[in-house]
Amino acid sequence: MNGLTLTPTQILAGVGVLVVLFWGWRAGARRAKAAAEKTRSGARLVSLAGRVLFNAGLIVAVQWVVISHPSSTWLRLAVLGLPALFASHALTRAMTVTTVDTSKRGGRR
């Protein structure tokens, strides 16, 4: 017919090579995904730090203007108290430990 004959050993070797290539491709894809996630999380941290510093600078600037120019006591209280409320809310949420008590196995109690 076409003159192409393969022994069972050759077919098994070919399938083995394909499996090894697929396995290597998957491992490379997993490594690339892990590296991309690590880079993304590092960029998120830098972005978060930049936003925190910008917002802190903005709050300090507004407080400085209000304190350096004497005005009403209520305005001074609002300018100093409102950021303190936001900061205490954020710190309280960050430091509060919450647990979710659910089991991963069926109906064990």
Side-chain angles (χ1 to χ4, degrees), residues 8 23 30 54 58 61 64 67 73 87-88 98:
W23 181 56
R30 267 188 252 121
F54 176 77
L58 187 65
W64 183 263
I67 290 173
T73 306
S88 66
T98 58

Side-chain angles (χ1 to χ4, degrees), residues 7-27:
T7 64
T9 306
Q10 290 172 330
I11 293 173
L12 192 59
V15 169
V17 167
L18 289 176
V19 167
V20 167
L21 286 174
F22 179 74
W23 181 56
W25 175 70
R26 290 286 298 154

Side-chain angles (χ1 to χ4, degrees), residues 4-109:
L4 179 65
T5 57
L6 296 173
T7 64
T9 306
Q10 290 172 330
I11 293 173
L12 192 59
V15 169
V17 167
L18 289 176
V19 167
V20 167
L21 286 174
F22 179 74
W23 181 56
W25 175 70
R26 290 286 298 154
R30 267 188 252 121
R31 270 188 252 120
K33 186 177 179 180
E37 181 61 33
K38 188 175 181 180
T39 303
R40 217 175 296 127
S41 68
R44 273 184 262 170
L45 180 64
V46 172
S47 175
L48 177 64
R51 284 182 284 175
V52 166
L53 289 174
F54 176 77
N55 286 333
L58 187 65
I59 291 169
V60 167
V62 169
Q63 288 177 339
W64 183 263
V65 167
V66 169
I67 290 173
S68 63
H69 294 90
S71 58
S72 81
T73 306
W74 289 110
L75 180 63
R76 187 173 292 176
L77 185 63
V79 167
L80 295 176
L82 197 59
L85 285 174
F86 284 127
S88 66
H89 174 71
L91 284 173
T92 303
R93 283 193 62 172
M95 297 176 79
T96 301
V97 177
T98 58
T99 60
V100 178
D101 296 330
T102 59
S103 65
K104 294 192 179 210
R105 296 190 178 196
R108 256 198 222 177
R109 292 180 184 191

